[in-house]
C-alpha cells in the first residue's frame, strides 16, 4: 500500500500522474469525480488477488439530502432472511459465501498441496485470493444496494444495536453471520442516513424484540432460533418470527423518539475513519487492471449520528421494567 500526499502526485485534466512518472495512471474509473474536486490524498494498493486500486480522497460539499418522507420502518437482521422489515418485506440472504464455498475449498486444498514458493504455489494462491475477492465484492455490492434502497424509501429506520463481534464467537453461527455482513449493513445505514437526511435509531440489543408479541405485548419465556413461526399464548396472534421482531423494533424505536432518548457515546471504537469506498464492478477482474476507488472525505467521528438506546422511560412505555431494574429484581 502506498499513501501519497499531494506533493507526490499531480492532478492534471482529470488524470493522475505519480511523481517521476511521465505517463498518467491508466485508471478505469468507477465513477466520475464531481466537477471542481481536487484529490488531497491518493492511495495506491495491490490486493492479494492481484488487483491494483487507486483511492482518491477529496472534499465533496454537495448536498445529497432527499425529500423528507413519512414512512418509518423497523429492521430485523437475521440469517434465514437477511432483513425483515416492519412493513412485511423479507429480503433473502444471498449467501454468496455458501455458493462459492465449494470452489474456495477446492482451491485451498490444491494450494495446500503445492510446494511453498514455487510457481504453481503462486498460481494457486492467486486463485484462492480471487475467490475471496469475489465473495467480498458481491457481499459489499449487495449490502450497498440494500441499504440505499432502505434509506431512499424510509425517513426513519430503526435497527438493533448488534454486537457482531460477540456473535461471531458463536462458532456455529460465525460463518452465517459474517456472510450476512450485518456490521457493514448498519455502518452503511449510519452514514447514508447522515448524507441523505434520514434518521437512524439504534435500539438496545437486550430489548426482547423476538420474544414479544407485537399485538398484545406479551413476552414468551423462550423462543429457540429454529422456531420461525409462533402463536401468542395470550392473544393467539400468529407471528412470523422475523416480521414480528421488526414490528417490535419499530415500536421500541418510536418509543425512543417519543420519550426522548439519551444519546450514547458509543460505537466510535468500531468505526473506522475510512469513510465510504465505492467498489468497481466485480466481474472480469484482470490482473493489472487499475480499479479506482473514490473515497469521500468526511469526518466520520464528528458527523455520524450516535446510536440511541432505549431509556428507562421508553422501556416502561412498552410495558417492561428497564434492564437495570430487571437485574436488581433478580438479585
Ligand atoms: Zn399476543
Amino acid at each position: 500500500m502506498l499513501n501519497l500526499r499531494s506533493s507526490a502526485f499531480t492532478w492534471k485534466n482529470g488524470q493522475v500522474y505519480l511523481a517521476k512518472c511521465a505517463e498518467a495512471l491508466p485508471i478505469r474509473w468507477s465513477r466520475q469525480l464531481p466537477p471542481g474536486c481536487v484529490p488531497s490524498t491518493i492511495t495506491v494498493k495491490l490486493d492479494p488477488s492481484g488487483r491494483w486500486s487507486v483511492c482518491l480522497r477529496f472534499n465533496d460539499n454537495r448536498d445529497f439530502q432527499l425529500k423528507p418522507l413519512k414512512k418509518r420502518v423497523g429492521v430485523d437482521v437475521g440469517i434465514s432472511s437477511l432483513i425483515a422489515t416492519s412493513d412485511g418485506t423479507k429480503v433473502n440472504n444471498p449467501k454468496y459465501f455458501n455458493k462459492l464455498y465449494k470452489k474456495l475449498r477446492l482451491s485451498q486444498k490444491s494450494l495446500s498441496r503445492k510446494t511453498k514458493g514455487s510457481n504453481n504455489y503462486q498460481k494457486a494462491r492467486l486463485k484462492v485470493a480471487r475467490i475471496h475477492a469475489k465473495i467480498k465484492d458481491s457481499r459489499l455490492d449487495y449490502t450497498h444496494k440494500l441499504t440505499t434502497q432502505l434509506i431512499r424509501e424510509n425517513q426513519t429506520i430503526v435497527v438493533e444495536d448488534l454486537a457482531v463481534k460477540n456473535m461471531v464467537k458463536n462458532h456455529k453461527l460465525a460463518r452465517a453471520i459474517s456472510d450476512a455482513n450485518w456490521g457493514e449493513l448498519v455502518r452503511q445505514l449510519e452514514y447514508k442516513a447522515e448524507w441523505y437526511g434520514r434518521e437512524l435509531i439504534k435500539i438496545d440489543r437486550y430489548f426482547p424484540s423476538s420474544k414479544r408479541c407485537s399485538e398484545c405485548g406479551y413476552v414468551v419465556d423462550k423462543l429457540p432460533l429454529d422456531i420461525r413461526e409462533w402463536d401468542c399464548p395470550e392473544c393467539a396472534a400468529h407471528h412470523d418470527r422475523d416480521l414480528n421482531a421488526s414490528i417490535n423494533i419499530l415500536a421500541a424505536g418510536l418509543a425512543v423518539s417519543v420519550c426522548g432518548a439519551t444519546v450514547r457515546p458509543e460505537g466510535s471504537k468500531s468505526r473506522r475513519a475510512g469513510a465510504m469506498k465505492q467498489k468497481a464492478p466485480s466481474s472480469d477482474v484482470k490482473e493489472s487492471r487499475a480499479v479506482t476507488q473514490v473515497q469521500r472525505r468526511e469526518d466520520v467521528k464528528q458527523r455520524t449520528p450516535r446510536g440511541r438506546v432505549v431509556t428507562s422511560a421508553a422501556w416502561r412505555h412498552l410495558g417492561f421494567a428497564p434492564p437495570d431494574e430487571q437485574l436488581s429484581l433478580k438479585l
Side-chain angles (χ1 to χ4, degrees):
M1 205 171 90
L2 187 62
N3 262 313
L4 300 167
R5 289 287 168 96
S6 54
S7 56
F9 68 87
T10 331
W11 176 253
K12 212 160 65 186
N13 302 328
Q15 301 259 51
V16 179
Y17 295 82
L18 298 187
K20 302 189 181 169
C21 294
E23 279 179 39
L25 288 180
I27 289 174
R28 259 176 54 179
W29 297 92
S30 60
R31 67 164 164 121
Q32 274 192 318
L33 250 60
C37 277
V38 176
S40 60
T41 317
I42 286 181
T43 309
V44 181
K45 231 193 256 176
L46 174 64
D47 75 7
S49 61
R51 289 186 296 180
W52 286 95
S53 65
V54 182
C55 300
L56 308 170
R57 188 162 244 244
F58 61 90
N59 248 329
D60 190 349
N61 297 322
R62 287 176 302 168
D63 188 8
F64 291 97
Q65 305 272 313
L66 296 170
K67 242 178 151 181
L69 299 171
K70 287 226 168 78
K71 206 175 158 204
R72 304 179 286 200
V73 79
V75 177
D76 177 57
V77 294
I79 292 170
S80 60
S81 49
L82 179 59
I83 61 165
T85 56
S86 53
D87 55 8
T89 326
K90 276 178 154 190
V91 175
N92 274 340
N93 189 346
K95 295 190 180 156
Y96 289 113
F97 199 75
N98 282 355
K99 277 185 202 157
L100 290 160
Y101 190 63
K102 258 191 183 160
K103 233 176 140 183
L104 184 66
R105 258 188 56 162
L106 282 176
S107 63
Q108 274 170 338
K109 266 189 191 165
S110 132
L111 174 65
S112 69
R113 284 193 295 265
K114 305 283 185 290
T115 321
K116 254 194 174 172
S118 68
N119 274 341
N120 282 331
Y121 177 86
Q122 288 307 328
K123 273 188 227 162
R125 190 195 57 76
L126 204 63
K127 209 172 166 190
V128 172
R130 282 204 191 128
I131 298 171
H132 273 301
K134 170 95 187 151
I135 294 167
K136 200 177 139 200
D137 288 354
S138 326
R139 257 184 210 168
L140 197 64
D141 184 58
Y142 191 84
T143 316
H144 268 301
K145 283 178 183 148
L146 194 62
T147 52
T148 301
Q149 195 192 354
L150 277 172
I151 290 281
R152 283 198 176 281
E153 292 174 359
N154 302 285
Q155 184 63 33
T156 304
I157 298 167
V158 188
V159 290
E160 274 178 306
D161 178 19
L162 296 161
V164 178
K165 265 187 200 156
N166 288 339
M167 290 175 142
V168 173
K169 282 180 195 155
N170 178 344
H171 293 298
K172 277 185 193 158
L173 295 177
R175 209 180 83 208
I177 291 173
S178 310
D179 209 25
N181 221 0
W182 290 348
E184 179 63 20
L185 193 100
V186 174
R187 192 189 73 87
Q188 287 180 9
L189 282 177
E190 260 177 350
Y191 75 73
K192 286 184 184 176
E194 176 78 358
W195 284 1
Y196 297 113
R198 304 299 201 214
E199 186 185 22
L200 182 78
I201 300 175
K202 286 207 251 171
I203 61 157
D204 202 302
R205 70 184 69 128
Y206 299 112
F207 177 71
S209 57
S210 298
K211 292 183 203 160
R212 179 180 183 264
C213 167
S214 57
E215 296 279 334
C216 69
Y218 182 80
V219 181
V220 293
D221 284 341
K222 270 184 197 158
L223 198 64
L225 267 174
D226 54 335
I227 294 180
R228 309 313 305 170
E229 290 178 32
W230 56 286
D231 292 309
C232 172
E234 192 71 19
C235 72
H238 183 72
H239 293 302
D240 173 287
R241 182 198 182 95
D242 302 331
L243 292 177
N244 177 60
S246 67
I247 295 168
N248 283 325
I249 288 169
L250 177 64
L254 297 184
V256 166
S257 1
V258 168
C259 301
T262 49
V263 176
R264 174 153 68 172
E266 59 90 55
S268 47
K269 180 173 66 171
S270 63
R271 206 163 285 132
R272 282 155 286 156
M276 172 229 187
K277 280 180 208 155
Q278 284 231 332
K279 278 269 175 176
S282 55
S283 54
D284 75 305
V285 176
K286 289 195 192 93
E287 238 187 285
S288 60
R289 191 184 104 196
V291 184
T292 317
Q293 295 182 337
V294 182
Q295 278 197 340
R296 181 194 292 268
R297 181 166 197 166
E298 59 163 3
D299 191 348
V300 177
K301 266 194 185 152
Q302 266 182 21
R303 292 188 53 200
T304 316
R306 299 282 190 242
R308 288 172 169 188
V309 289
V310 181
T311 55
S312 301
W315 280 83
R316 281 198 199 90
H317 186 84
L318 291 162
F320 296 111
D324 42 335
E325 281 179 28
Q326 286 171 10
L327 205 69
S328 57
L329 282 177
K330 267 183 212 159
L331 295 170

